[in-house]
Amino acid sequence: MKKKIIYSILAVAIIAAGIISFWSFSKAGQTVELETAAVIRGEISDVITATGTLEAVETVEVGTQVSGVIRKIYVDYNSQVKKGQLLARLDETPLVAQLEQSKATVDQAEAEVQYQKATYDRYQVLIEKKLIAQSDYDLVVYNYNKAVASLNNARSVYDKNKINLSYATICSPIDGIILDRAVDEGQTVAASFNTPTLFTIANDLTQMQVEANVDEADIGNVRIGQRVEFTVDAYPTLKFDGEVIQIRLQPVESSNVITYTVVINAPNPDKKLMPGMTANASFYVKELKGIPLMPAKALNFNPDQKLLMAYQEAHPEVNLQLPETGMTDSGEQGKTVWVKKGNVIRSQQVTLGETDEAFYEVISGLDEGDEVLVSLIQSTAAAGEKSAARSPFMPQRPGNNRK
């Protein structure tokens, strides 16, 4: 019985000694690390993204206004053409026949007018002398006027057939390049209600445009003259510059989603961009360059004063200046951050401006190069574990200083 009591006392003593040793060891092995980031000069930008399609500034579809068979084609895909240049010619045989038929009708109508005019002149003399009845004279006048009307009608048909014959010769309406050729020689084209398209011509591929579809939630931030950067899948590492030149008011609805077409000019001197390419555009709504910037996680940093005291104990050279009780942020832009200048650590009131969520513009309170506290890390050397007084929502950034 006495042995059991002795063993129990020994066990309790061993456990107590272990606890005391472990606590002492853990206490001795704990360190506090301070992480800071410098105020630097940089830029802040607010960007809207959208996708669109590259198009030529002017694209013309060339068709035919008369039906017929394509007799000859003089251009092909990618052919450079000038305004008025011959592109294709239809078989003119049926059109020439119609023109000759209408010319014969005109000749016949002219002969009829001459005959009726002579009759009218004779009856004019007789009616003045009252040698004929008025009804006979009226009939002659009617026949003459009818012949004149028939002649005018025949001439209009002749003019129409003459124009149709000219339509058999298809010429380019603009200077440009042939993007598409939709017909071949010997093919029959029928111009009925819809004019068939024979060629598609783009005027100048060194000046193109992007027609981007901007969501209705973002369209209010788009302005004429706004800077735009875009990329295309063909050149994923290249960025092309442009600017907004038109915002179309007509909404586009697709699957109950409303977008608006925004036209962006796209200079293309090297002709790398091609019609139909998909462009991923970034609209720069807000751009501030060369301004002092502070990381956003410094604003969210709220240190544990006990950890600060522990850091000061480990670094006796540090002068820790705690804020006065009740000190709060002032206003929407007036905020408090912690700064480290030399060996002094203290809170500092700052006035902030624009933000891109990762950085804030510093208007006053901090200078370029000032170090702001972003985290306070407590670590145990024995276990290799760390706990930090920092915002759990902010990502780590390389290059931060730990002390």
Side-chain angles (χ1 to χ4, degrees), residues 148-321:
V148 171
S150 298
L151 175 60
N152 292 335
N153 182 64
R155 284 175 176 171
S156 65
V157 173
Y158 173 78
D159 291 340
K160 178 181 177 180
N161 289 332
K162 191 175 182 180
I163 293 173
N164 286 342
L165 180 59
S166 69
Y167 288 156
T169 302
I170 300 168
C171 300
S172 175
I174 61 171
D175 295 343
I177 184 172
I178 303 293
L179 297 182
D180 184 34
R181 175 174 62 82
V183 292
D184 294 308
E185 292 183 2
Q187 183 174 338
T188 300
V189 292
S192 52
F193 296 103
N194 296 322
T195 300
T197 299
L198 308 183
F199 304 96
T200 301
I201 304 176
N203 66 330
D204 183 11
L205 294 185
T206 62
Q207 290 292 332
M208 301 188 69
Q209 64 185 27
V210 178
E211 294 186 3
N213 299 317
V214 179
D215 190 85
E216 63 175 323
D218 297 326
I219 194 64
N221 292 320
V222 179
R223 298 288 183 271
I224 299 294
Q226 202 167 60
R227 189 174 79 87
V228 181
E229 285 185 353
F230 65 91
T231 61
V232 294
D233 293 340
Y235 309 103
T237 60
L238 295 181
K239 288 186 177 181
F240 300 89
D241 294 322
E243 68 175 30
V244 177
I245 59 175
Q246 186 182 63
I247 303 173
R248 296 178 181 171
L249 302 180
Q250 177 65 33
V252 180
E253 182 178 356
S254 177
S255 301
N256 293 326
V257 176
I258 300 296
T259 59
Y260 292 86
T261 301
V262 176
V263 182
I264 307 160
N265 76 330
N268 187 30
D270 300 330
K271 295 186 178 180
K272 291 182 177 180
L273 301 174
M274 301 181 185
M277 283 184 170
T278 299
N280 302 304
S282 298
F283 298 81
Y284 283 83
V285 176
K286 175 173 56 184
E287 279 190 290
L288 299 175
K289 297 183 178 181
I291 59 174
L293 297 177
M294 179 193 75
K297 59 182 180 179
L299 190 64
N300 299 323
F301 174 66
N302 187 17
D304 186 335
Q305 293 191 4
K306 292 183 179 179
L307 289 181
L308 282 177
M309 298 295 292
Y311 180 79
Q312 186 183 35
E313 290 178 5
H315 301 82
E317 73 280 3
V318 171
N319 180 10
L320 178 61
Q321 298 179 5

Side-chain angles (χ1 to χ4, degrees), residues 34-40 293-301 336-342 344-350 352 358-360 362 364-376 400-403:
L34 189 65
E35 184 179 357
T36 64
V39 176
I40 59 174
L293 297 177
M294 179 193 75
K297 59 182 180 179
L299 190 64
N300 299 323
F301 174 66
T336 300
V337 296
W338 287 82
V339 298
K340 184 177 185 297
K341 291 189 177 182
V344 177
I345 296 178
R346 62 183 176 84
S347 61
Q348 174 69 45
Q349 286 281 325
V350 295
L352 305 177
F359 290 90
Y360 278 88
V362 179
S364 65
L366 294 174
D367 297 322
E368 184 179 357
D370 286 351
E371 291 187 340
V372 292
L373 276 63
V374 295
S375 69
L376 196 60
N400 290 338
N401 299 322
R402 290 184 179 177
K403 301 175 180 67

